């Protein structure tokens, strides 16, 4: 039983942003604070996470702002908007380890750069693991591990 408690504690340290984001047919705020009871959602934290993910301006321009419904699977949203909500969701969780799996692949270069700069300005105690095919996505990383054919091919340290 202790190992289950430790495993759950460990899982709480991690936030994951997959390439394809699941969105529930509920509000922007509920999707960003996914899994949190409505009464426990911190709107300040939702707005802060959305701002870091460069989706706040879009959300505030919708008819009902953060209360606007995203539609089933975010049917009313572009791929980039869905990804930014997924990034905001991970940031809302306030985890110590953030795993980004092609999390910016649907974003334009300018938006991706803005989000990457937001990550750089986060508390340095956060570890970010990024999986990306575009080398420009990884340009601000401290370390780069290239994997080819299932094996670590080479490690570049401090590529900046």
């Amino acid at each position: 039983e202790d190992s289950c408690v430790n495993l759950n504690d460990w899982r709480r340290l991690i936030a994951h942003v997959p390439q394809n984001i699941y969105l529930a047919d509920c509000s922007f705020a509920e999707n960003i604070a996914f899994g949190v009871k409505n009464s426990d959602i911190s709107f300040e934290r939702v707005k802060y996470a959305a701002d870091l993910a460069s989706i706040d301006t879009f959300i505030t321009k919708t008819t009902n702002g953060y209360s606007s419904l995203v539609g089933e699977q975010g049917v009313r949203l572009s791929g980039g908007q869905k990804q930014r909500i997924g990034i905001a969701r991970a940031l809302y969780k306030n985890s110590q380890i953030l795993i980004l799996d092609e999390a910016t692949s649907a974003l334009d270069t300018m938006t991706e750069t803005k989000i990457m700069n937001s990550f750089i300005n986060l508390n340095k105690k956060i570890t970010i693991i990024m999986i990306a095919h575009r080398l420009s996505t990884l340009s601000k990383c401290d370390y780069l591990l290239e994997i080819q054919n299932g094996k670590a091919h080479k490690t570049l340290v401090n590529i900046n």
Side-chain angles (χ1 to χ4, degrees), residues 4-68:
C4 289
V5 172
N6 291 339
L7 185 58
N8 289 334
D9 289 343
W10 190 79
R11 285 180 179 152
R12 277 189 279 280
L13 297 176
I14 299 173
H16 172 246
V17 183
Q19 185 172 359
N20 297 309
I21 307 300
Y22 169 78
L23 295 176
D25 188 14
C26 56
S27 72
F28 283 106
E30 291 168 305
N31 270 290
I32 291 171
F34 194 72
V36 177
K37 290 189 323 188
N38 282 353
S39 59
D40 293 337
I41 292 175
S42 164
F43 181 73
E44 293 79 25
R45 220 161 103 196
V46 166
K47 190 163 176 41
Y48 175 73
D51 187 48
L52 286 176
S54 295
I55 191 73
D56 175 65
T57 302
F58 170 79
I59 293 172
T60 55
K61 287 182 180 178
T62 61
T63 307
N64 295 314
Y66 282 87
S67 297
S68 294

Side-chain angles (χ1 to χ4, degrees), residues 116-159:
M116 290 297 119
N117 287 334
S118 291
F119 290 153
I120 290 168
N121 294 325
L122 288 173
N123 184 334
K124 291 296 184 182
K125 292 182 180 177
I126 295 174
T127 299
I128 301 174
I129 300 169
M130 300 175 69
I131 300 162
H133 288 93
R134 283 192 305 227
L135 222 53
S136 62
T137 303
L138 305 172
S139 66
K140 304 275 186 184
C141 294
D142 293 328
Y143 304 97
L144 179 68
L145 177 63
E146 184 178 7
I147 299 174
Q148 290 182 345
N149 301 322
K151 295 180 182 173
H153 181 63
K154 60 182 172 181
T155 302
L156 301 174
V157 180
N158 293 317
I159 62 172

Side-chain angles (χ1 to χ4, degrees), residues 59-118:
I59 293 172
T60 55
K61 287 182 180 178
T62 61
T63 307
N64 295 314
Y66 282 87
S67 297
S68 294
L69 300 178
V70 301
E72 188 172 335
Q73 277 299 320
V75 70
R76 299 180 182 105
L77 305 173
S78 71
Q81 290 163 339
K82 291 177 190 178
Q83 282 190 323
R84 287 182 282 161
I85 291 170
I87 292 167
R89 178 184 293 166
L91 293 170
Y92 179 89
K93 192 175 175 187
N94 201 23
S95 300
Q96 292 178 21
I97 300 170
L98 181 58
I99 300 172
L100 305 172
D101 185 1
E102 289 287 343
T104 60
S105 62
L107 302 179
D108 61 82
T109 305
M110 194 169 92
T111 304
E112 181 184 52
T113 300
K114 191 174 179 181
I115 292 172
M116 290 297 119
N117 287 334
S118 291

